C-alpha cells in the first residue's frame, strides 16, 4: 500500500508531466519564463514549448485524423509534410498578442522532396563543446526536414538552451531563438516517431521535440534527455539520439540551475527542480548533414 509520501511524490511527478504538455499557456498565465517541453520535457522534459503556440490553436481533430491515416505521424496526405500556420485562420478567437514578438519568421520548409530514408547528423557547436545527434530521418522525416530547413536559415545560431530540469524529468531544452521558452518559427507540424510502448519512452541520450499538448503543435524547441525518465507519456516526437557530447550535458546538469520560483519541485529537500542552467549553453551553430542510407 502506498504511503502519503508516495502519493504526494506521484502527484508531484504527474504535475511536472502535465507542465510539459501545456507549459505555453501556463507559463503565460503565471508569467513563467520557461516553456514546456517537452515541459518540457517536460520540456522537456520537456517539453516545452511555447508562446508561439496560441490560445486560439484549433483544428486538432483534423490533424489527428490525418496523423492516424499517415504511418509517419505527419499531418496531411500520406507521404507529405504539412506545415501549418501557428493560428488556424478560421479560428474565431484572437491570437495571443505576444505571438508576433516570439516568432522568428524565416518562411516554411518545402512541401515536397524531403528525405525519407537513412539518418542525418545534427551537429551543435556550443559554448560547452560539440554535441552530435544521429537524426532518424527514416522515421521522423518531417522533423528532420524542419531542422534541415531551419539550420539552412541559421535559425538556431547564437541561441541559448533556456531550460534545465533536475527532478523527475531530466532534460536540457533548447531551440527557442529568443531563449525565453516562448519562441519558435512561424509554422507548426504534426508529431511523428512517437515511442509508443517503449519503457522508458525517453531514455538517456534521446533527443525529442517539445509541444504544447495539442495535436500538430511541434515547432523548433527540442530537449536532450541526460538521464532515463521513468514516467513520461509518448507524446513527443523522437528526433534521434546523442552520439557525442552527452557527457557535456550531464556536466551542465551537475552545475545546477538558476531556480524558476514558479516551478514545483518533486522533492523540495533536493533543491530547485528547474530553471535556466547555471552553466550557459549557447548554440554557436547548428548544422545538418546530408542524409545517409
Amino acid at each position: 500500500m502506498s504511503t502519503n509520501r508516495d502519493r504526494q511524490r506521484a502527484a508531484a511527478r504527474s504535475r511536472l508531466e502535465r507542465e510539459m504538455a501545456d507549459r505555453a499557456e501556463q507559463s503565460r498565465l503565471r508569467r513563467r519564463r520557461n516553456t514546456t517541453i517537452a515541459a518540457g520535457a517536460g520540456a522537456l522534459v520537456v517539453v516545452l514549448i511555447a508562446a508561439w503556440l496560441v490560445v486560439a490553436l484549433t483544428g486538432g481533430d483534423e490533424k489527428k485524423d490525418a496523423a492516424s491515416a499517415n504511418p509517419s505521424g505527419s499531418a496531411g496526405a500520406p507521404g507529405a509534410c504539412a506545415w501549418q500556420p501557428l493560428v488556424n485562420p478560421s479560428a474565431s478567437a484572437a491570437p495571443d498578442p505576444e505571438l508576433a514578438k516570439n516568432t522568428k519568421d524565416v518562411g516554411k520548409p518545402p512541401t515536397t522532396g524531403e528525405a525519407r530514408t537513412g539518418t542525418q547528423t545534427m551537429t551543435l557547436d556550443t559554448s560547452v563543446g560539440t554535441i552530435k545527434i544521429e537524426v532518424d530521418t527514416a522515421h521522423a522525416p518531417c522533423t528532420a526536414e524542419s531542422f534541415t530547413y531551419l539550420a539552412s536559415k541559421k535559425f538556431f545560431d547564437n541561441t541559448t538552451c533556456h531550460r534545465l530540469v533536475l527532478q523527475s524529468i531530466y532534460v536540457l531544452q533548447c531551440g527557442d531563438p529568443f531563449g525565453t521558452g516562448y519562441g519558435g518559427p512561424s509554422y507548426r507540424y504534426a508529431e511523428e516517431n512517437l515511442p509508443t510502448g517503449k519503457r522508458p519512452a525517453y531514455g538517456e541520450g534521446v533527443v525529442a521535440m517539445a509541444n504544447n499538448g495539442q495535436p500538430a503543435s511541434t515547432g523548433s524547441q527540442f530537449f536532450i534527455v541526460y538521464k532515463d525518465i521513468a514516467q513520461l507519456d509518448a507524446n513527443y516526437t523522437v528526433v534521434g539520439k546523442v552520439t557525442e557530447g552527452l557527457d557535456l550535458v550531464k556536466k551542465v546538469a551537475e552545475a545546477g540551475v538558476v531556480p524558476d520560483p514558479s516551478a514545483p519541485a518533486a522533492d523540495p529537500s533536493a533543491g530547485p527542480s528547474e530553471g535556466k542552467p547555471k552553466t550557459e549553453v549557447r548554440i554557436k551553430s547548428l548544422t545538418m548533414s546530408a542524409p545517409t542510407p
Side-chain angles (χ1 to χ4, degrees), residues 17-28 35-40 42-43 46-58 60 86 96 99 173 181-182 188-189 191 209-221 223 235-237:
E17 184 171 339
R18 287 197 301 273
E19 283 176 20
M20 183 175 182
D22 62 4
R23 172 72 61 108
E25 181 178 359
Q26 289 184 5
S27 294
R28 179 175 62 81
T35 184
T36 283
I37 181 183
V46 193
V47 206
L48 316 120
I49 347 218
W52 38 277
L53 298 163
V54 298
V55 175
L57 190 62
T58 60
L86 291 182
D96 189 322
L99 181 64
Q173 191 167 326
Y182 297 112
R188 56 188 170 89
Y189 58 100
E191 293 65 52
M209 300 302 294
N211 63 47
N212 76 337
Q214 296 292 326
S217 63
T218 297
S220 63
Q221 294 192 37
F223 55 90
N235 296 328
Y236 311 95
T237 295

Side-chain angles (χ1 to χ4, degrees), residues 246-259:
L246 188 59
D247 58 321
L248 303 176
V249 179
K250 291 181 177 181
K251 287 180 181 178
V252 170
E254 288 171 2
V257 299
V258 178

